[in-house]
Amino acid sequence: MSREKPYMLEVRASGGMIMTTVAVAVFTDIFLYGVIVPIIPNVLVERIGVPQSSVQKNISIALLAYAAGLLVASPVFGFLADLFQNRRLFMIIGLLGLLGSTILLCLAHVLWIFIFGRLIQGMSGAAVWTVGLALITDSFAENNIGKMMGIVSSSMSLGVFLGPSISGVVYARAGYYALFGILFGLICADLLLRIFMLERKDLERWKPSAENESAVERDIGFVSDNTVSIGNVEPTADRSTLKSQKKKKPKVPVGLKLLKNGRMINGLYMGVIIAWIFTALESILPLHVETIFNWNSLGSGLIFLPIAITSLISPLIGHWIDKHGPRWPLAAGLVIACPFLVLLRLPENGAIGQIVLLFALFTLLGLASSMLLPSSMSEISACVTAAEQDKPGIFGKSGAYGQAFGLFNLAYSAGSVFGPLEAGFVTAAEGWGTTTWTLGLISFVSAVPAILFTGGYLFKKRTSRNIDGQ
């Protein structure tokens, strides 16, 4: 049965449309995540009635709930996206979950409802990150992946750090419900984009002439290239083809294959560390600046603005990664971040010079951050691509990009759990200064495996090696 060609197919399935949709999806998810950071102390005290002595603990719990949702849902979305090969559907499902979580957060006057809303928000975010990053890898050539991941990184950074900035301003000037009005508007715009977008495979389906419907079906991908044609192929060829196809089936689950590779393990470790450092800062900074500067939610939000601005160079970093690889930008970002994390202990009062120092340090941390995310995400993609090139069919017909980014999100969410926990406990026990130097130490030490193992072992002669370790 013939099907009608989708309206504006070439535009909807273009690389620009796909990149715009994923970038907006990432921004929306992270913006909604970050909106709560500067206002959460006020919300907990004024709307929910949490005692002041329990505010820091519940800030950490709210951030952990998001991370837990991401942790649980990332591998699930990765598996389903690879299994059904329909990235667009799962991105729409994720956004509907995000809408539901935003309604819960908007209406919550009870702590457990507020925490549950953050949990659902994390689960919906898993769809964006797992499926969205896999969609980019599907849609662009390998030598452009770094630049595309740089755009994603910019969107993420803008969401993480513009979210607190804008929420601080709107909450202080117009109130809680005005802020959520902005969020619902952003979700609606994002939904329109996700519905309008089509995948590159949808464009491929319509490349053959409409007169040859069987050719269209082969292009769709529902009929495998290895499927036996009944017409002109000898039975012996059929058996040979089927035998070859059978050999290509993975002997172990794809997720386990990915975890057998040292390069992939290193990439996942980098995801843990990056999330650890920056979510730790997000969890303790608002309360700290309120204490030393006597700032309200407006000031707490604006402190994140320098990182949002510096994140705009991430596509340039990604372009460099496409040409030279992610090893040195990743290592440099970790080394550069170390001293500026440690120096965050210096601002101690509300003097103008102290405020300028804090903003300067955050600007320099933003430069480091712009190197880290594109590098780590490009490394995950490159690891899977290298395995496929060394041994075509190693992951079966469903591929592994969805599951690879599912594992990356799993690692990132684990870091988002450990970071706020460590920062919250250390700050409570030893103070802000101890927390900053421990984060700096974690960053510096992690630069060593980044240098040694990103892109493959540094001192080993470059040879083909697939994810089976063969």
Side-chain angles (χ1 to χ4, degrees):
M1 181 183 296
S2 62
R3 297 173 56 195
E4 184 179 354
K5 182 178 179 179
Y7 177 68
M8 295 180 66
L9 173 63
E10 290 77 10
V11 174
R12 296 172 67 185
S14 66
M17 186 67 212
I18 291 171
M19 187 67 251
T20 299
T21 302
V22 174
V24 171
V26 167
F27 175 82
T28 300
D29 173 69
I30 298 299
F31 183 87
L32 268 67
Y33 162 81
V35 150
I36 203 65
V37 174
I39 67 170
I40 193 169
N42 306 75
V43 172
L44 291 174
V45 174
E46 297 171 8
R47 287 179 60 85
I48 298 178
V50 173
Q52 190 66 44
S53 59
S54 300
V55 169
Q56 182 62 69
K57 179 184 73 174
N58 285 289
I59 289 174
S60 297
I61 291 173
L63 293 174
L64 288 173
Y66 179 93
L70 197 63
L71 189 73
V72 170
S74 289
V76 175
F77 274 115
F79 174 76
L80 293 176
D82 281 342
L83 179 64
F84 292 104
Q85 291 290 295
N86 192 329
R87 317 292 197 197
R88 176 172 172 260
L89 171 64
F90 289 104
M91 289 190 70
I92 292 173
I93 292 173
L95 188 61
L96 294 177
L98 187 61
L99 175 61
S101 70
T102 306
I103 293 172
L104 288 175
L105 292 172
C106 179
L107 301 179
H109 282 275
V110 180
L111 183 60
W112 75 265
I113 295 178
F114 186 82
I115 299 300
F116 183 67
R118 293 290 286 180
L119 177 70
I120 300 301
Q121 190 179 36
M123 296 177 72
S124 65
V128 171
W129 284 97
T130 300
V131 183
L133 296 181
L135 179 58
I136 289 176
T137 306
D138 293 341
S139 306
F140 294 93
E142 184 182 356
N143 61 356
N144 277 321
I145 294 297
K147 184 167 63 176
M148 298 304 111
M149 293 303 179
I151 295 173
V152 171
S153 177
S154 293
S155 298
M156 177 185 178
S157 296
L158 286 172
V160 168
F161 301 113
L162 278 181
S165 300
I166 293 175
S167 72
V169 173
V170 175
Y171 183 80
R173 302 300 183 198
Y176 191 75
Y177 291 110
L179 177 60
F180 274 88
I182 294 174
L183 302 187
F184 287 122
L186 184 59
I187 290 173
C188 290
D190 191 2
L191 181 60
L192 291 176
L193 277 175
R194 296 193 202 192
I195 292 173
F196 184 76
M197 182 206 74
L198 294 174
E199 298 179 51
R200 296 294 289 177
K201 68 178 183 180
D202 296 313
L203 181 61
E204 295 297 320
R205 294 177 187 182
W206 294 94
K207 275 188 175 179
S209 64
E211 297 160 3
N212 190 348
E213 191 170 318
S214 63
V216 174
E217 290 176 349
R218 284 196 299 273
D219 235 9
I220 289 175
F222 294 126
V223 180
S224 171
D225 290 338
N226 292 324
T227 301
V228 178
S229 173
I230 297 176
N232 300 319
V233 182
E234 296 295 327
T236 54
D238 291 353
R239 287 193 295 270
S240 175
T241 303
L242 289 171
K243 184 177 179 181
S244 174
Q245 182 183 19
K246 186 175 181 180
K247 284 183 178 179
K248 289 184 179 181
K249 291 183 178 179
K251 297 178 182 178
V252 296
V254 170
L256 294 180
K257 280 182 173 289
L258 293 168
L259 291 174
K260 288 172 64 178
N261 180 262
R263 180 179 173 185
M264 175 65 73
I265 293 296
N266 179 69
L268 298 178
Y269 170 73
M270 291 300 138
V272 172
I273 295 303
I274 294 168
W276 183 314
I277 292 170
F278 288 99
T279 57
L281 287 179
E282 291 166 20
S283 69
I284 60 176
L285 185 66
L287 201 58
H288 178 70
V289 297
E290 284 186 16
T291 301
I292 64 170
F293 296 152
N294 294 318
W295 285 355
N296 57 17
S297 60
L298 174 59
S300 299
L302 290 176
I303 192 60
F304 293 105
L305 192 58
I307 299 186
I309 295 172
T310 51
S311 70
L312 296 176
I313 70 169
S314 290
L316 298 178
I317 301 295
H319 182 69
W320 195 95
I321 290 169
D322 287 332
K323 292 182 176 296
H324 306 287
R327 185 194 310 272
W328 298 114
L330 184 56
L334 291 167
V335 171
I336 290 170
C338 172
F340 304 124
L341 286 167
V342 175
L343 291 173
L344 283 175
R345 64 191 294 137
L346 295 181
E348 295 180 340
N349 56 60
I352 294 298
Q354 300 280 289
I355 296 173
V356 170
L357 175 61
L358 186 63
F359 272 81
L361 290 172
F362 262 80
T363 300
L364 295 168
L365 281 172
L367 292 174
S369 175
S370 68
M371 300 180 189
L372 296 176
L373 281 169
S375 301
S376 59
M377 292 187 291
S378 296
E379 175 68 355
I380 297 298
S381 175
C383 190
V384 177
T385 301
E388 285 282 8
Q389 290 174 346
D390 285 346
K391 190 176 181 181
I394 185 176
F395 301 122
K397 64 180 181 180
S398 296
Y401 288 111
Q403 292 175 76
F405 284 114
L407 289 172
F408 179 76
N409 288 325
L410 197 67
Y412 196 92
S413 59
S416 300
V417 170
F418 297 137
L421 274 176
E422 182 261 345
F425 283 122
V426 173
T427 301
E430 302 294 336
W432 168 262
T434 301
T435 304
T436 61
W437 75 251
T438 56
L439 292 176
L441 180 63
I442 291 169
S443 181
F444 184 79
V445 170
S446 299
V448 176
I451 294 171
L452 290 178
F453 300 112
T454 302
Y457 184 50
L458 179 62
F459 297 110
K460 184 175 181 179
K461 184 177 179 181
R462 293 178 179 263
T463 57
S464 294
R465 182 178 177 87
N466 62 43
I467 273 190
D468 274 326
Q470 298 172 342

